[in-house]
Amino acid sequence: MLIEKDIKISGKMKSMISMLDLFTKITKKTLFGLSSKKEQTFLIPKKSISKSNTIKHYTKQNMNIIEFISKQSNNNKHIIYLHGGAFIHEGQHNHYSFLNDLNKGLKGKISYIDYPKAPKHTARQIVDITKMIIEEIMNEHKGDQFIIMGDSSGGNLSLVISKELSLKNKVIVFSPWMDLSMDNKDISKMKHREFMYSDEEIINAGKTYYQNISSKDESISPVYGDYSNFDITIYAGTRDTLYPDILLFEKKNPNIVLNSYKDLPH
């Protein structure tokens, strides 16, 4: 089900979008390209980030986990979160800020998984290791009400893993990367509106991830899978280059809820 939302964008948000758009047009550089030049390292949340959550750091399967636990927890809601970054970038402090704020309202628990990255790991390794971590977390907290959540490439993993594990938990994804082939003809119409990344940058990152597997395999690109029996909610902006494939996914799986925000970017 497609729900179109024409929300009023704040002046601050409009200015930010305009500045980023202008920056990309003038410099021919994208935010993705600038991030790619930085050394990828795992970040610990800043100590000043939260007064409402207790934040813990531990490891599973040699991967880092950040746990946000509400100091006012009065329910068993538990989000498992997979961050974006085109499968090659680490999460950023803005992910932590978002999750910290999210848990203020949830008043539950959030487990943020720093899953393996390409090209050091193959797509199959990334999916399998992340699956094991999710299963371990679920087994350790059997009484919790789990929600699988992720953005961009993390949204891709959230969908793929939920299907492979036959999870019937709620899945919520933001601007998910649905088709790594990027060959939807409608994508070309979006190119001039994208300042987060170029088509070339995102396609090359995808190739680094899936390597010898077909980009149209459902374990790589959820748009080719059947999700008609899953409880999925998507949030996406119509300005996002990935939006045409998100729209196609909704048409193939009319049971899902797609919240579409006019003129918002990736």
Side-chain angles (χ1 to χ4, degrees), residues 9-25 31 193-196 239 261-266:
I9 303 174
S10 69
K12 184 178 181 180
M13 178 63 75
K14 284 183 179 178
S15 297
M16 184 180 298
I17 291 173
S18 296
M19 285 191 293
L20 290 170
D21 196 17
L22 183 61
F23 172 81
T24 299
K25 283 182 170 63
L31 297 181
R193 308 188 72 198
E194 186 60 73
F195 55 75
M196 293 291 291
R239 181 174 175 151
Y261 293 84
K262 184 178 179 181
D263 291 331
L264 286 187
H266 183 69

Side-chain angles (χ1 to χ4, degrees), residues 28-118:
K28 307 301 180 184
K29 296 178 181 178
T30 65
L31 297 181
F32 181 89
L34 293 173
S35 296
S36 297
K37 293 178 181 179
K38 297 179 181 178
E39 182 181 354
Q40 294 297 304
T41 56
F42 171 71
L43 301 174
I44 297 291
K46 297 175 181 176
K47 290 183 178 179
S48 60
I49 196 172
S50 176
K51 293 182 180 179
S52 59
N53 294 304
T54 298
I55 300 176
K56 296 181 178 179
H57 170 226
Y58 62 97
T59 61
K60 283 187 180 297
Q61 302 292 332
N62 295 318
M63 294 290 111
N64 291 290
I65 313 293
I66 301 294
E67 194 171 68
F68 297 78
I69 307 169
S70 175
K71 294 178 181 178
Q72 302 175 13
S73 180
N74 57 8
N75 62 65
N76 64 347
K77 291 182 179 178
H78 190 158
I79 290 172
I80 294 179
Y81 196 89
L82 305 176
H83 67 82
F87 301 105
I88 61 175
H89 288 166
E90 293 285 348
Q92 302 297 318
H93 281 304
N94 58 358
H95 283 105
Y96 301 146
S97 297
F98 165 66
L99 296 179
N100 181 65
D101 289 342
L102 180 63
N103 206 35
K104 286 180 184 179
L106 186 72
K107 290 184 171 59
K109 187 181 298 178
I110 299 177
S111 294
Y112 168 100
I113 300 175
D114 178 47
Y115 55 84
K117 308 297 184 299

Side-chain angles (χ1 to χ4, degrees), residues 68-246:
F68 297 78
I69 307 169
S70 175
K71 294 178 181 178
Q72 302 175 13
S73 180
N74 57 8
N75 62 65
N76 64 347
K77 291 182 179 178
H78 190 158
I79 290 172
I80 294 179
Y81 196 89
L82 305 176
H83 67 82
F87 301 105
I88 61 175
H89 288 166
E90 293 285 348
Q92 302 297 318
H93 281 304
N94 58 358
H95 283 105
Y96 301 146
S97 297
F98 165 66
L99 296 179
N100 181 65
D101 289 342
L102 180 63
N103 206 35
K104 286 180 184 179
L106 186 72
K107 290 184 171 59
K109 187 181 298 178
I110 299 177
S111 294
Y112 168 100
I113 300 175
D114 178 47
Y115 55 84
K117 308 297 184 299
K120 185 177 180 179
H121 294 85
T122 65
R124 192 65 258 167
Q125 289 173 330
I126 292 170
V127 170
D128 287 344
I129 291 171
T130 308
K131 278 165 56 177
M132 284 190 286
I133 294 172
I134 289 175
E135 287 184 303
E136 285 184 27
I137 291 173
M138 287 183 160
N139 286 331
E140 288 173 6
H141 303 275
K142 289 185 177 179
D144 288 358
Q145 181 184 346
F146 287 98
I147 300 169
I148 311 300
M149 188 179 289
D151 67 279
S152 197
S153 56
N156 174 301
L157 284 174
S158 296
L159 292 166
V160 168
I161 289 172
S162 292
K163 192 170 193 299
E164 291 196 4
L165 291 177
S166 297
L167 298 178
K168 296 306 176 184
N169 305 81
K170 178 73 178 178
V171 181
I172 301 175
V173 288
F174 308 94
S175 301
W177 195 0
M178 292 295 190
D179 186 356
L180 273 65
S181 74
M182 299 289 287
D183 64 1
N184 187 327
K185 58 182 177 58
D186 290 332
I187 288 177
S188 61
K189 302 173 186 177
M190 313 288 291
K191 194 179 299 186
H192 69 288
R193 308 188 72 198
E194 186 60 73
F195 55 75
M196 293 291 291
Y197 49 80
S198 69
D199 286 2
E200 182 181 10
E201 287 170 338
I202 199 73
I203 288 171
N204 286 339
K207 289 178 179 177
T208 299
Y209 172 66
Y210 62 77
Q211 299 180 25
N212 296 324
I213 303 175
S214 169
S215 61
K216 297 190 177 184
D217 188 297
E218 66 176 279
S219 68
I220 298 299
S221 299
V223 75
Y224 300 105
D226 179 7
Y227 287 82
S228 58
N229 293 318
F230 288 81
D231 183 4
I232 299 168
T233 298
I234 300 175
Y235 294 88
T238 62
R239 181 174 175 151
D240 190 347
T241 298
L242 304 182
Y243 186 73
D245 287 323
I246 294 170

